Amino acid sequence: MLIRRKNNAAGVVLVTTYSMLGCGGNRSQQSKNIIEEIQNREWGLILMDEVHVTPAESFRNIIQITKSHCKLGLTATLLREDDKISDLNFLIGPKLYEANWLNLAKCGYIAKVECFEVRCEMTESFAKYYYKKENSFERMQALYLMNPNKFRMCEYLIQYHQRRGDKIIVFSDNLFTLTEYATKLRKPMIYGATSQAETSIILEEFKTNPNVNTVFMSKVGDNSLDIPEANVIIEISWHGGSRRQEAQRLGRILRAKKSKEKYNAFFYSLVSTHTREMEFAAKRHAAVFGRSRL
């Protein structure tokens, strides 16, 4: 949280987070004083990035504690998995503008992305165990995530794009799958337990070292990740049917690229066929239209 004043003028710029303002726990006296100053001031403009989080119960009180003449919300993913996205109409106001990302790509403002759903047949041995009636969801999930054909496809795509000199992010929400794939393919990985120092080292190597072209990431890489060098995403597991996560991961490779190829970024979702994973994939892909399929 930061308040800046210039030459003791009345103008104030406040930079903060949703968590800092929406926090209902114990605060230090200094923090209480700042919150009181925020509540007592009549603000000219509240600019809310990632505005789709505002309807959450823990954040919507921010609208009540801050008085302003104007509220403006920004987001690249106007999606929620609950029914609260429409609450933005009275919390912030009606939607004023929505850019079409395909038009932005044609104009060169963002990358030209080709998206694929890659369907991987279950091997005979894995399929045999998958269709057992007594299976729990966890066991079924482990089987379709560790499907050997999915692993082979992931390995093939990594090798193919590394030969092209591309920079690849492989996403997995499931930590066991993440660890197994990264270890077997001898690639660095970043997840919740990775220290900030180690994360910085891995990302710097990924950005600058021509010999480090692939990094595995858990869902910690879904948000606030600035890697303009990345131009390939491979998804091997995800959070159910979340459309917002799908759109956010796509956003990791949308930074404009120098390449003048017809497509200069690639997004792959690896799906084990005839499993529940296909149900989740169908819902997620509603957020990313114009897909091709292999």
Side-chain angles (χ1 to χ4, degrees), residues 101 113-117 250 263 265-269 288-293:
W101 68 275
V113 185
E114 188 168 21
C115 300
F116 299 94
E117 178 186 288
L250 176 65
Y263 296 105
F266 304 89
F267 187 100
Y268 300 93
S269 288
V288 183
F289 49 89
R291 281 181 176 256
S292 300
R293 284 184 178 156

Side-chain angles (χ1 to χ4, degrees), residues 21-154:
L21 282 184
C23 173
N26 293 328
R27 298 180 182 270
S28 67
Q29 188 57 49
Q30 182 183 18
S31 180
K32 289 179 181 178
N33 293 339
I34 294 175
I35 292 296
E36 185 178 351
E37 183 176 352
I38 291 171
Q39 291 176 323
N40 292 336
R41 178 178 289 271
E42 190 168 317
W43 299 88
L45 170 67
I46 297 180
L47 183 61
M48 309 181 79
D49 194 19
E50 304 290 357
V51 74
H52 55 267
V53 307
T54 306
E57 292 299 328
S58 55
F59 295 146
R60 61 197 300 147
N61 65 317
I62 293 172
I63 305 300
Q64 278 79 50
I65 68 173
T66 51
K67 302 184 292 289
S68 68
H69 293 280
C70 179
K71 302 180 185 73
L72 180 62
L74 307 173
T75 182
T77 52
L78 193 61
L79 293 166
R80 289 182 64 89
E81 300 312 315
D82 54 24
D83 58 355
K84 295 181 179 179
I85 197 68
S86 60
D87 290 1
L88 288 174
N89 288 322
F90 63 83
L91 290 172
I92 307 298
K95 180 170 64 177
L96 299 178
Y97 176 75
E98 181 174 5
N100 183 299
W101 68 275
L102 290 176
N103 291 337
L104 293 176
K106 289 178 182 178
C107 294
Y109 295 117
I110 60 175
K112 297 177 181 178
V113 185
E114 188 168 21
C115 300
F116 299 94
E117 178 186 288
V118 185
R119 295 185 173 181
C120 308
E121 291 286 342
M122 291 279 279
T123 62
E124 185 176 347
S125 59
F126 272 58
K128 178 182 176 181
Y129 284 102
Y130 181 84
Y131 293 115
K132 285 189 173 182
K133 292 182 179 180
E134 65 272 19
N135 271 346
S136 65
F137 172 73
E138 289 73 19
R139 183 178 177 83
M140 294 170 70
Q141 183 185 52
L143 287 165
Y144 66 62
L145 292 180
M146 296 304 297
N147 174 12
N149 284 334
K150 178 184 277 197
F151 176 82
R152 294 185 191 109
M153 179 55 71
C154 180

